Amino acid sequence: MQAKGFVHCYPDNVDTDVIIPARYLNTPNAQELAAHCMEDIDPAFPQKVHRGDIMVAGWNFGCGSSREHAPLAIKTSGISCVIAKTFARIFYRNAINIGLAILECEEAANRIQPGDEVQIDFDSGTITNLTQQESYQAQPFPPFIQNIIQKGGLMNAIQSKEDNTHE
Amino acid sequence: MGMTMTQKILAAHAGLESVTAGQLIEAKLDMVLGNDITSPVAIQEFEKAGFQQVFDRTKISLVMDHFAPNKDIKAAQQTKQSREFANKYDILNFYDVGSMGIEHALLPEKGLVGAGDCVIGADSHTCTYGALGAFSTGVGSTDMAAGMATGTCWFKVPSAIRFNLVGQLSGWASGKDVILTIIGMIGVDGALYKSMEFTGSGLASLSMDDRLCMANMAIEAGAKNGIFEVDDITIAYMKDRVQKPYTIYQADPDAQYDAEYTIDLSTIVPTVAYPHLPENTHPASESKHISIDQVVIGSCTNGRSSDMEIAAKILKGKKIAKNVRAIVIPATQKIFTECIQKGWMETFVEAGCVVSTPTCGPCLGGYMGILAQGERCVATTNRNFVGRMGHVESEVYLASPAVAAASALTGYITAPKEEN
């Protein structure tokens, strides 16, 4: 699995209230949520994001509320992967569970500049910066989590497990 | 190797003799919680996956508290969807307008969580129940859907930070001031992926309301859970509430901790977290230069009985400052009734406050107290992120009910006086 796109950069401690403000949580509709994604930190984001683009941020990305609407809004806006130094733990779980690719890589977060074109190989965890012609190595997921991602999210993973149990 | 409280609870629920930090496990759940914002997404996932039944109708709680009573048509659709699901699967603990309260005040009050339980909730402040000696953590809607279907959840076993509490709280200092001080000390990701375990002789001076408030804000330090050692105060609280058997887990003497802190409670002073992170803490007494437009006293952090009592004590016979709006929100119907019976309601109204039915409304900028551009609010809530309570250029200052009430009277951030 690979991703390739241009980068949008954000600081440390990006919280779920700026990723998708609570005033829009009166709907679970992914398209409506994506239309307001990042609105309170980067109002132009919904207009400037292109399918396949990559988000890069600092420490503790996605802190705050457990709202799954946050990774859902990012994924639906077209972002193919979020790279951060660390993720807040509920956001981390939610991203895996809904199939939004995320990678923790401090070096990539330090080096990558806004607008850089970046390519990611998820199997190896290698992040290649095509603009700056350098690459960074992220930790690949443990097999347990890779299985959830390969099955297309948690619900598919538990369904295939239940099917196996019943056989 | 010894285990922490959290590790012991997780091992027991995974059917394992022992677990170690970093281990991936699947644990059985004693309660799965959702609210009117997160349940609709979970219900969508549950139905999309084709599940026909829930794992146990008595171990699911659905609480309509965030945008309820319905704030608009879309919010009404969300509670309707939750209500229909609850009826279809005969969910025992479905709390709608009239019986609902703010979820993390309601579940402990109803005795739905006890010591040693393993709980997930599609709300980040689910960590509140650690006050009862339970393992309890916030998850997303998909985890909630999977939990409702299977009664299990996957976890990476966390390591822990131990907070050894000594001494006694003095003056107006409360659990809120302790947890704000700790977050100020370790930062908003200071306990990322970890447990915060609270022990020590200082527990004796912390009421259950103090502990619930402190465990509630463990997530604001990035923690997976916050958990208190069970003592006589916990047991007394559970006595008339928790109907099911519960189990007390204590950390092994040789349990490993990533860090240990000793906190002398007698040194804690009324504390305020400035915008836009809960770690930006300052003493309330050094914050007089900050004028305010609104005060909110309530939420899953500080909407409990003793919070109302403290606010009433400070507001009694006085008037809210000109140009300040004060909104008081008792967290449950029971607390609301107590406010009436004890005369606190009259105190609030006569002081010039408005008192609302239970709702999370203003805390997350939903409704019932949205801030305009440039406005400042002292709130007893838990988050002060950009735009949290309204306009992106509004500001939230987090504080205890005592500081919020004292500030409402002066119109600027105020440490309550000793003679109050």
Side-chain angles (χ1 to χ4, degrees):
Chain A
M1 201 171 85
Q2 290 210 328
K4 186 175 157 185
F6 293 93
V7 165
H8 305 262
C9 282
Y10 296 100
D12 296 340
N13 299 316
V14 171
D15 62 76
T16 54
D17 276 278
V18 295
I19 295 172
I20 183 69
R23 58 184 178 275
Y24 301 119
L25 298 185
N26 54 6
T27 175
N29 182 290
Q31 295 298 336
E32 280 187 58
L33 295 169
H36 300 289
C37 187
M38 309 303 279
E39 187 174 287
D40 283 1
I41 189 173
D42 184 6
F45 177 80
Q47 284 73 50
K48 70 186 182 190
V49 65
H50 292 100
R51 187 145 297 278
D53 280 1
I54 289 161
M55 227 178 236
V56 176
W59 303 106
N60 202 25
F61 184 88
C63 63
S65 131
S66 69
R67 64 191 70 160
E68 204 162 284
H69 313 68
L72 193 61
I74 292 173
K75 186 184 173 188
T76 309
S77 74
I79 290 290
S80 61
C81 180
V82 185
I83 300 168
K85 292 182 185 174
T86 53
F87 291 91
R89 62 158 285 275
I90 305 179
F91 186 94
Y92 184 94
R93 282 186 83 94
N94 288 347
I96 291 164
N97 286 343
I98 68 154
L100 168 67
I102 55 170
L103 286 175
E104 286 188 340
C105 183
E106 188 177 347
E107 190 193 5
N110 282 333
R111 298 281 305 162
I112 295 172
Q113 298 298 313
D116 282 0
E117 190 179 23
V118 165
Q119 186 171 318
I120 299 164
D121 184 306
F122 290 103
D123 296 329
S124 64
T126 306
I127 301 164
T128 308
N129 188 331
L130 301 171
T131 306
Q132 298 190 44
Q133 298 191 333
E134 57 187 26
S135 64
Y136 327 101
Q137 188 60 44
Q139 282 287 334
F141 286 116
F144 178 87
I145 291 172
Q146 270 179 22
N147 177 53
I148 294 176
I149 296 168
Q150 277 165 10
K151 294 269 162 55
L154 180 68
M155 294 310 275
N156 290 337
I158 61 167
Q159 270 182 310
S160 64
K161 192 178 157 197
E162 296 231 323
D163 290 346
N164 288 336
T165 316
H166 295 155
E167 274 166 10
Chain B
M1 195 171 72
M3 290 189 284
T4 65
M5 284 185 272
T6 298
Q7 289 166 354
K8 281 193 171 174
I9 297 172
L10 288 175
H13 285 80
L16 299 169
E17 280 288 310
S18 69
V19 294
T20 54
Q23 188 176 345
L24 286 157
I25 57 156
E26 192 166 42
K28 287 204 167 76
L29 301 170
D30 298 303
M31 185 58 74
V32 178
L33 164 72
N35 58 50
D36 53 308
I37 287 178
T38 57
S39 299
V41 179
I43 292 165
Q44 265 181 19
E45 289 297 315
F46 185 93
E47 289 176 344
K48 201 167 72 188
F51 286 104
Q52 301 292 323
Q53 55 186 15
V54 297
F55 84 105
D56 186 337
R57 71 175 199 90
T58 69
K59 292 183 177 175
I60 294 169
S61 294
L62 302 178
V63 186
M64 304 297 99
D65 59 358
H66 274 59
F67 292 166
N70 302 328
K71 82 179 183 86
D72 56 25
I73 294 168
K74 284 179 170 177
Q77 292 298 133
Q78 297 200 126
T79 56
K80 185 177 179 216
Q81 190 183 359
S82 307
R83 195 174 297 118
E84 287 170 352
F85 181 86
N87 286 336
K88 182 175 176 185
Y89 293 100
D90 199 19
I91 302 298
L92 183 64
N93 302 303
F94 174 66
Y95 294 101
D96 207 342
V97 169
S99 66
M100 69 83 163
I102 295 176
E103 52 194 339
H104 308 309
L106 190 69
L107 266 60
E109 180 185 286
K110 297 274 183 196
L112 295 175
V113 180
D117 280 358
C118 180
V119 179
I120 62 166
D123 187 280
S124 59
H125 294 108
T126 303
C127 51
T128 307
Y129 318 133
L132 295 154
F135 170 78
S136 188
T137 192
V139 295
S141 295
T142 298
D143 276 318
M144 178 191 168
M148 289 197 298
T150 65
T152 63
C153 187
W154 68 269
F155 296 108
K156 192 170 173 182
V157 176
S159 60
I161 300 176
R162 182 169 180 259
F163 294 88
N164 180 34
L165 307 176
V166 299
Q168 291 190 0
L169 287 177
S170 63
W172 290 101
S174 67
K176 182 63 163 286
D177 303 298
V178 181
I179 193 64
L180 286 176
T181 301
I182 288 173
I183 296 166
M185 200 168 78
I186 67 172
V188 292
D189 60 354
L192 190 61
Y193 307 133
K194 301 177 198 295
S195 303
M196 295 169 79
E197 301 213 353
F198 299 98
T199 64
S201 58
L203 290 186
S205 84
L206 295 174
S207 68
M208 282 310 295
D209 285 1
D210 283 322
R211 299 176 194 197
L212 289 159
C213 165
M214 287 173 64
N216 174 274
M217 287 192 75
I219 179 68
E220 310 314 332
K224 184 171 206 139
N225 67 314
I227 187 166
F228 280 75
E229 200 167 68
V230 173
D231 63 5
D232 292 346
I233 295 172
T234 332
I235 291 166
Y237 181 88
M238 290 192 291
K239 187 170 176 285
D240 299 324
R241 293 181 175 87
V242 181
Q243 303 298 321
K244 57 187 182 178
Y246 58 80
T247 313
I248 298 169
Y249 292 93
Q250 285 177 321
D252 289 322
D254 60 341
Q256 301 286 307
Y257 298 95
D258 289 350
E260 295 192 44
Y261 296 93
T262 295
I263 312 273
D264 182 353
L265 297 176
S266 67
T267 65
I268 300 291
V269 297
T271 298
V272 179
Y274 290 13
H276 289 286
L277 286 174
E279 69 185 24
N280 296 334
T281 51
H282 299 262
S285 59
E286 294 171 15
S287 307
K288 286 182 185 170
H289 57 288
I290 298 161
S291 63
I292 59 167
D293 305 283
Q294 180 171 294
V295 162
V296 171
I297 299 173
S299 84
C300 61
T301 314
N302 282 122
R304 298 186 180 82
S305 177
S306 62
D307 301 315
M308 297 296 124
E309 184 177 20
I310 287 164
K313 199 170 165 190
I314 290 172
L315 295 172
K316 191 165 178 64
K318 305 204 169 103
K319 292 280 180 201
I320 302 303
K322 197 179 171 214
N323 296 326
V324 173
R325 312 174 306 262
I327 301 164
V328 180
I329 310 179
T332 66
Q333 292 288 79
K334 186 163 181 271
I335 300 165
F336 192 92
T337 308
E338 195 180 349
C339 287
I340 297 169
Q341 287 167 345
K342 299 213 166 138
W344 305 333
M345 187 71 82
E346 200 176 335
T347 298
F348 296 143
V349 173
E350 286 186 350
C353 305
V354 67
V355 184
S356 162
T357 184
T359 181
C360 307
C363 170
L364 72 163
Y367 72 132
M368 199 68 84
I370 303 295
L371 299 173
Q373 183 174 21
E375 286 192 328
R376 297 196 191 104
C377 178
V378 174
T380 67
T381 56
N382 42 51
R383 293 200 172 118
N384 54 357
F385 300 148
V386 169
R388 174 74 179 177
M389 284 183 78
H391 196 278
V392 290
E393 289 171 35
S394 63
E395 295 182 346
V396 178
Y397 294 78
L398 304 175
S400 68
V403 171
S407 305
L409 294 175
T410 58
Y412 53 86
I413 296 180
T414 305
K417 290 195 193 86
E418 289 304 322
E419 65 266 28
N420 268 338

